[in-house]
Amino acid sequence: MSVMNLIMCLFLCTLSVCCFASSHRSILREVSDNDRSGIDRDYAVELNATNFDAVLKDTPATFAIVEFFAHWCPACRNYKYEKVARLFNGPDAVHPGIILLTRVDCAEKINTKLCDKFSVGHYPMLFWGAPPKFVGGSWEPKQKNSDIEVIDNARTADQMLTWINKQTSS
Ligand SMILES: *[C@@H]1O[C@H](CO)[C@@H](O)[C@H](O)[C@H]1NC(C)=O
């Protein structure tokens, strides 16, 4: 930062518009401080038919979990997946960049076709796969050797973690 910029910044700071390079980081810190109070904050990425392909195509993550749910059925998704999402996504992730946790609200009209393509028959329905396999993808119950797998028996955050551990260690 040049002396001129520094002086300019000090001036702006007195107007409470700080422009130091660290200001960006302090915003991040504020966000994560808020997170600690709002402990159930959800870092799963909400996708819809418009951005589904683009997000899954662009993510650097090795694996993706897509949860199809319906917002009118809170009981159908009361499995505390937020805990899992927090491990892999978001600013305080312990294992960042490995798994992208996403979800799609099938009760939104825009997502009807997308949910049909994945044969969503109950909520929540969870899928596992390499992100590119979801792009333009589909799934059928009778399909063999699919690159996308249904995650069965993931009714709690712990069960989901067990499942993830099995997948990532094999
Ligand atoms: C789809 O998701 C994007 C990104 O979150 C959002 O900007 C857009 O409004 C959504 N579209 C609909 C129809 O909900």
Short mmCIF file of all heavy atoms in Angstrom, two decimals, residues 63-64 118 127-134 137-139 143-150 163 167:
data_model
loop_
_atom_site.label_atom_id
_atom_site.label_comp_id
_atom_site.label_asym_id
_atom_site.label_seq_id
_atom_site.Cartn_x
_atom_site.Cartn_y
_atom_site.Cartn_z
N PHE A 63 -16.28 -35.09 -4.94
CA PHE A 63 -17.59 -35.76 -4.86
C PHE A 63 -18.69 -34.73 -4.63
O PHE A 63 -18.43 -33.64 -4.12
CB PHE A 63 -17.62 -36.75 -3.70
CG PHE A 63 -16.56 -37.80 -3.77
CD1 PHE A 63 -15.42 -37.70 -2.98
CD2 PHE A 63 -16.68 -38.89 -4.63
CE1 PHE A 63 -14.42 -38.67 -3.04
CE2 PHE A 63 -15.69 -39.85 -4.70
CZ PHE A 63 -14.56 -39.75 -3.91
N ALA A 64 -19.90 -35.12 -5.00
CA ALA A 64 -21.05 -34.28 -4.71
C ALA A 64 -22.13 -35.12 -4.05
O ALA A 64 -22.28 -36.32 -4.35
CB ALA A 64 -21.60 -33.64 -5.98
N PHE A 118 -34.22 -37.63 -12.05
CA PHE A 118 -33.53 -38.46 -11.07
C PHE A 118 -34.49 -39.40 -10.33
O PHE A 118 -34.14 -39.98 -9.32
CB PHE A 118 -32.75 -37.57 -10.08
CG PHE A 118 -31.50 -36.98 -10.70
CD1 PHE A 118 -31.54 -35.77 -11.36
CD2 PHE A 118 -30.30 -37.67 -10.66
CE1 PHE A 118 -30.39 -35.24 -11.95
CE2 PHE A 118 -29.15 -37.16 -11.24
CZ PHE A 118 -29.19 -35.94 -11.89
N PHE A 127 -28.27 -38.51 -3.38
CA PHE A 127 -27.40 -39.14 -4.37
C PHE A 127 -25.96 -38.77 -4.12
O PHE A 127 -25.65 -37.70 -3.60
CB PHE A 127 -27.78 -38.68 -5.78
CG PHE A 127 -29.11 -39.19 -6.25
CD1 PHE A 127 -30.26 -38.47 -6.02
CD2 PHE A 127 -29.19 -40.40 -6.93
CE1 PHE A 127 -31.49 -38.94 -6.46
CE2 PHE A 127 -30.41 -40.87 -7.37
CZ PHE A 127 -31.57 -40.14 -7.13
N TRP A 128 -25.10 -39.69 -4.54
CA TRP A 128 -23.66 -39.52 -4.39
C TRP A 128 -23.02 -39.76 -5.74
O TRP A 128 -23.39 -40.68 -6.47
CB TRP A 128 -23.13 -40.53 -3.38
CG TRP A 128 -21.63 -40.67 -3.31
CD1 TRP A 128 -20.85 -41.50 -4.08
CD2 TRP A 128 -20.75 -39.99 -2.42
NE1 TRP A 128 -19.54 -41.36 -3.71
CE2 TRP A 128 -19.46 -40.44 -2.70
CE3 TRP A 128 -20.95 -39.03 -1.42
CZ2 TRP A 128 -18.34 -39.96 -2.00
CZ3 TRP A 128 -19.85 -38.57 -0.73
CH2 TRP A 128 -18.55 -39.04 -1.03
N GLY A 129 -22.02 -38.96 -6.09
CA GLY A 129 -21.29 -39.20 -7.33
C GLY A 129 -20.26 -38.12 -7.58
O GLY A 129 -20.18 -37.13 -6.85
N ALA A 130 -19.44 -38.33 -8.60
CA ALA A 130 -18.52 -37.28 -9.03
C ALA A 130 -19.37 -36.17 -9.65
O ALA A 130 -20.29 -36.47 -10.41
CB ALA A 130 -17.52 -37.83 -10.04
N PRO A 131 -19.07 -34.92 -9.31
CA PRO A 131 -19.93 -33.82 -9.77
C PRO A 131 -20.27 -33.84 -11.27
O PRO A 131 -21.43 -33.66 -11.62
CB PRO A 131 -19.15 -32.57 -9.37
CG PRO A 131 -18.36 -32.99 -8.18
CD PRO A 131 -18.00 -34.44 -8.43
N PRO A 132 -19.27 -34.12 -12.15
CA PRO A 132 -19.61 -34.08 -13.59
C PRO A 132 -20.67 -35.12 -13.99
O PRO A 132 -21.34 -34.96 -14.99
CB PRO A 132 -18.28 -34.39 -14.29
CG PRO A 132 -17.23 -34.18 -13.27
CD PRO A 132 -17.85 -34.42 -11.93
N LYS A 133 -20.79 -36.19 -13.19
CA LYS A 133 -21.76 -37.24 -13.52
C LYS A 133 -23.19 -36.77 -13.35
O LYS A 133 -24.13 -37.37 -13.88
CB LYS A 133 -21.53 -38.48 -12.65
CG LYS A 133 -20.14 -39.07 -12.76
CD LYS A 133 -19.88 -39.62 -14.16
CE LYS A 133 -18.49 -40.24 -14.23
NZ LYS A 133 -18.13 -40.59 -15.62
N PHE A 134 -23.37 -35.69 -12.59
CA PHE A 134 -24.71 -35.14 -12.39
C PHE A 134 -25.09 -34.18 -13.52
O PHE A 134 -26.27 -33.89 -13.72
CB PHE A 134 -24.79 -34.38 -11.06
CG PHE A 134 -24.81 -35.28 -9.85
CD1 PHE A 134 -23.65 -35.57 -9.16
CD2 PHE A 134 -26.01 -35.80 -9.40
CE1 PHE A 134 -23.67 -36.39 -8.04
CE2 PHE A 134 -26.05 -36.62 -8.28
CZ PHE A 134 -24.88 -36.92 -7.60
N GLY A 137 -27.37 -35.20 -16.08
CA GLY A 137 -27.51 -36.59 -15.65
C GLY A 137 -28.94 -37.00 -15.35
O GLY A 137 -29.87 -36.20 -15.39
N SER A 138 -29.06 -38.29 -15.08
CA SER A 138 -30.36 -38.84 -14.71
C SER A 138 -30.11 -40.12 -13.92
O SER A 138 -28.97 -40.61 -13.85
CB SER A 138 -31.19 -39.14 -15.94
OG SER A 138 -30.54 -40.11 -16.74
N TRP A 139 -31.15 -40.64 -13.32
CA TRP A 139 -31.03 -41.88 -12.56
C TRP A 139 -32.36 -42.61 -12.59
O TRP A 139 -33.42 -41.99 -12.53
CB TRP A 139 -30.63 -41.58 -11.12
CG TRP A 139 -30.43 -42.81 -10.29
CD1 TRP A 139 -29.29 -43.55 -10.18
CD2 TRP A 139 -31.41 -43.48 -9.48
NE1 TRP A 139 -29.49 -44.62 -9.35
CE2 TRP A 139 -30.78 -44.60 -8.90
CE3 TRP A 139 -32.76 -43.22 -9.20
CZ2 TRP A 139 -31.46 -45.48 -8.06
CZ3 TRP A 139 -33.43 -44.09 -8.36
CH2 TRP A 139 -32.78 -45.21 -7.79
N GLN A 143 -31.63 -48.99 -13.16
CA GLN A 143 -30.38 -48.78 -13.87
C GLN A 143 -29.23 -49.49 -13.17
O GLN A 143 -29.03 -49.35 -11.97
CB GLN A 143 -30.13 -47.28 -13.89
CG GLN A 143 -29.02 -46.79 -14.75
CD GLN A 143 -29.04 -45.25 -14.77
OE1 GLN A 143 -30.09 -44.64 -14.63
NE2 GLN A 143 -27.88 -44.67 -14.91
N LYS A 144 -28.45 -50.23 -13.94
CA LYS A 144 -27.29 -50.90 -13.35
C LYS A 144 -26.03 -50.12 -13.68
O LYS A 144 -25.97 -49.44 -14.69
CB LYS A 144 -27.19 -52.32 -13.88
CG LYS A 144 -28.13 -53.25 -13.13
CD LYS A 144 -27.92 -54.70 -13.51
CE LYS A 144 -29.02 -55.54 -12.87
NZ LYS A 144 -29.62 -56.50 -13.80
N ASN A 145 -25.03 -50.26 -12.83
CA ASN A 145 -23.74 -49.62 -13.06
C ASN A 145 -23.85 -48.12 -13.28
O ASN A 145 -23.19 -47.56 -14.13
CB ASN A 145 -23.02 -50.23 -14.28
CG ASN A 145 -22.90 -51.72 -14.15
OD1 ASN A 145 -22.63 -52.23 -13.07
ND2 ASN A 145 -23.10 -52.43 -15.24
N SER A 146 -24.71 -47.49 -12.53
CA SER A 146 -24.82 -46.05 -12.66
C SER A 146 -23.62 -45.39 -11.98
O SER A 146 -23.08 -45.91 -11.02
CB SER A 146 -26.11 -45.56 -12.00
OG SER A 146 -26.12 -44.17 -11.96
N ASP A 147 -23.19 -44.26 -12.55
CA ASP A 147 -22.10 -43.50 -11.92
C ASP A 147 -22.60 -42.72 -10.72
O ASP A 147 -21.83 -42.19 -9.94
CB ASP A 147 -21.50 -42.52 -12.93
CG ASP A 147 -20.81 -43.25 -14.06
OD1 ASP A 147 -20.11 -44.23 -13.78
OD2 ASP A 147 -20.98 -42.83 -15.22
N ILE A 148 -23.93 -42.65 -10.63
CA ILE A 148 -24.54 -41.94 -9.51
C ILE A 148 -25.19 -42.98 -8.60
O ILE A 148 -25.88 -43.87 -9.07
CB ILE A 148 -25.61 -40.96 -10.02
CG1 ILE A 148 -24.96 -39.92 -10.93
CG2 ILE A 148 -26.34 -40.30 -8.87
CD1 ILE A 148 -25.96 -39.11 -11.72
N GLU A 149 -24.93 -42.87 -7.30
CA GLU A 149 -25.49 -43.84 -6.36
C GLU A 149 -26.48 -43.19 -5.42
O GLU A 149 -26.29 -42.05 -5.00
CB GLU A 149 -24.36 -44.40 -5.49
CG GLU A 149 -23.56 -45.50 -6.12
CD GLU A 149 -22.53 -46.00 -5.13
OE1 GLU A 149 -22.91 -46.71 -4.18
OE2 GLU A 149 -21.36 -45.64 -5.30
N VAL A 150 -27.51 -43.94 -5.06
CA VAL A 150 -28.43 -43.46 -4.03
C VAL A 150 -27.79 -43.74 -2.68
O VAL A 150 -27.23 -44.81 -2.45
CB VAL A 150 -29.78 -44.21 -4.11
CG1 VAL A 150 -30.70 -43.79 -2.96
CG2 VAL A 150 -30.47 -43.92 -5.44
N TRP A 163 -21.27 -43.37 5.79
CA TRP A 163 -21.39 -43.65 4.35
C TRP A 163 -20.28 -42.95 3.57
O TRP A 163 -19.62 -43.55 2.72
CB TRP A 163 -22.77 -43.17 3.87
CG TRP A 163 -23.24 -43.87 2.66
CD1 TRP A 163 -24.03 -44.97 2.60
CD2 TRP A 163 -22.94 -43.53 1.30
NE1 TRP A 163 -24.25 -45.33 1.29
CE2 TRP A 163 -23.60 -44.46 0.48
CE3 TRP A 163 -22.19 -42.51 0.71
CZ2 TRP A 163 -23.54 -44.44 -0.90
CZ3 TRP A 163 -22.11 -42.47 -0.68
CH2 TRP A 163 -22.77 -43.43 -1.46
N GLN A 167 -17.15 -44.54 1.25
CA GLN A 167 -16.96 -44.19 -0.15
C GLN A 167 -15.57 -43.62 -0.39
O GLN A 167 -14.92 -43.95 -1.38
CB GLN A 167 -18.00 -43.17 -0.59
CG GLN A 167 -19.41 -43.64 -0.52
CD GLN A 167 -19.66 -44.83 -1.42
OE1 GLN A 167 -19.26 -44.83 -2.58
NE2 GLN A 167 -20.30 -45.85 -0.89
#
